[in-house]
């Protein structure tokens, strides 16, 4: 508990020192949210940047001072020439603060044997019906036609379809599949995996 209290005290002291530097550069007191202060003009922001104040603290100072300038093209050029960051310029001009890029969370792969889709690939809304035998059915569950469809079984046998209509299925006989390596017909196939690609995305399932 003592060590934690010391760390917090040091952190507060560091933040207070940084705010003091920003306030002195602006020529006023430490800004308080909701209370106006002399900061921040274009000259203030340039001075803060030249003094080595971080973008985060400059943005904080701009926001707490309630500054919302209508920058001209000359103002933006001036700020840019003085190494003021685009993020600070955007906030000074009344825009949102985008200080760092955020990564989109990757959803976990669904259960039931479905393989994870490649990052960035759109998933096709389809169902594959197979219970043994010499054929299987692929059903388009979406309201959009899927075009240039390629169905691959076990990474070996391939079947091409120009269009799989919305809310419709297609019975695919294994004799219509071609062995990718030799071009031979796939008369009887023990289905283990099915991969489907189309202009609209991809789909993979294991059996």
């Amino acid at each position: 508990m003592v060590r934690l209290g010391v760390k917090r005290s040091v952190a507060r002291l560091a933040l207070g020192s940084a705010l003091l530097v920003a306030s002195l550069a602006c020529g006023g007191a430490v800004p308080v949210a909701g209370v106006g202060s002399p900061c921040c003009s274009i000259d203030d922001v340039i001075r803060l940047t030249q003094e080595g104040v971080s973008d985060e603290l400059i943005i904080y100072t701009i926001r707490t001072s309630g500054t919302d300038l209508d920058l001209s093209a000359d103002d933006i050029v001036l700020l840019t020439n003085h190494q003021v960051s685009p993020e600070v310029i955007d906030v000074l001009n009344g825009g949102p603060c985008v200080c760092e890029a955020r990564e989109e969370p990757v959803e976990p792969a669904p259960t039931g044997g479905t393989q994870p889709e490649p990052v960035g690939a759109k998933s096709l809304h389809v169902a594959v019906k197979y219970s043994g035998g010499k054929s299987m059915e692929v059903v388009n569950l979406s309201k959009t036609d899927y075009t240039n469809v390629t169905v691959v079984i076990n990474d070996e046998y391939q079947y091409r379809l120009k269009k799989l209509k919305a809310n419709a299925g297609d019975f695919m006989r294994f004799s219509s599949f071609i062995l990718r390596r030799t071009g031979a017909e796939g008369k009887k196939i023990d289905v283990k995996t099915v991969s489907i690609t189309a202009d609209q995305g991809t789909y993979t399932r294991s059996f």
Side-chain angles (χ1 to χ4, degrees):
M1 295 295 292
V2 174
R3 291 182 179 177
L4 182 58
V6 171
K7 289 182 178 179
R8 288 178 176 173
S9 298
V10 171
R12 291 194 187 103
L13 181 60
L15 178 59
S17 299
L19 290 173
L20 180 60
V21 171
S23 66
L24 292 176
C26 290
V30 176
V32 179
V35 179
S37 66
C39 195
C40 279
S41 66
I42 292 175
D43 291 339
D44 290 332
V45 171
I46 291 174
R47 184 178 178 186
L48 288 170
T49 301
Q50 292 177 337
E51 292 290 338
V53 178
S54 68
D55 287 349
E56 290 79 5
L57 186 52
I58 297 176
I59 289 171
Y60 169 80
T61 307
I62 294 171
R63 287 196 173 279
T64 54
S65 66
T67 302
D68 185 3
L69 303 179
D70 186 12
L71 299 179
S72 66
D74 290 339
D75 294 333
I76 295 173
V77 170
L78 177 64
L79 290 163
T80 301
N81 288 340
H82 284 84
Q83 287 74 51
V84 178
S85 71
E87 290 81 8
V88 172
I89 294 175
D90 191 27
V91 173
L92 189 61
N93 202 27
C97 174
V98 183
C99 299
E100 59 183 58
R102 295 183 179 178
E103 295 183 0
E104 294 295 329
V106 179
E107 296 183 0
T111 58
T114 303
Q115 299 297 318
E117 299 294 336
V119 176
K122 204 169 184 180
S123 180
L124 297 175
H125 192 198
V126 300
V128 177
K129 299 179 181 180
Y130 169 71
S131 57
K134 298 181 180 180
S135 65
M136 68 180 186
E137 183 182 12
V138 177
V139 182
N140 182 354
L141 302 175
S142 75
K143 298 180 180 180
T144 302
D145 291 347
Y146 292 150
T147 54
N148 295 322
V149 180
T150 300
V151 182
V152 178
I153 298 177
N154 301 342
D155 292 325
E156 296 180 319
Y157 299 93
Q158 180 174 289
Y159 177 83
R160 294 182 181 275
L161 185 66
K162 289 185 177 180
K163 181 185 292 186
L164 183 60
K165 293 184 178 180
N167 297 315
D170 190 292
F171 282 96
M172 301 177 181
R173 294 186 176 275
F174 295 150
S175 58
S176 300
F177 282 78
I178 301 298
L179 188 61
R180 300 171 81 178
R181 292 176 296 174
T182 64
E185 293 182 358
K187 296 180 181 179
K188 185 177 181 181
I189 305 175
D190 181 17
V191 180
K192 296 179 180 178
T193 62
V194 175
S195 299
I196 303 174
T197 60
D199 292 336
Q200 292 74 23
T202 63
Y203 171 89
T204 302
R205 179 180 175 184
S206 298
F207 289 86

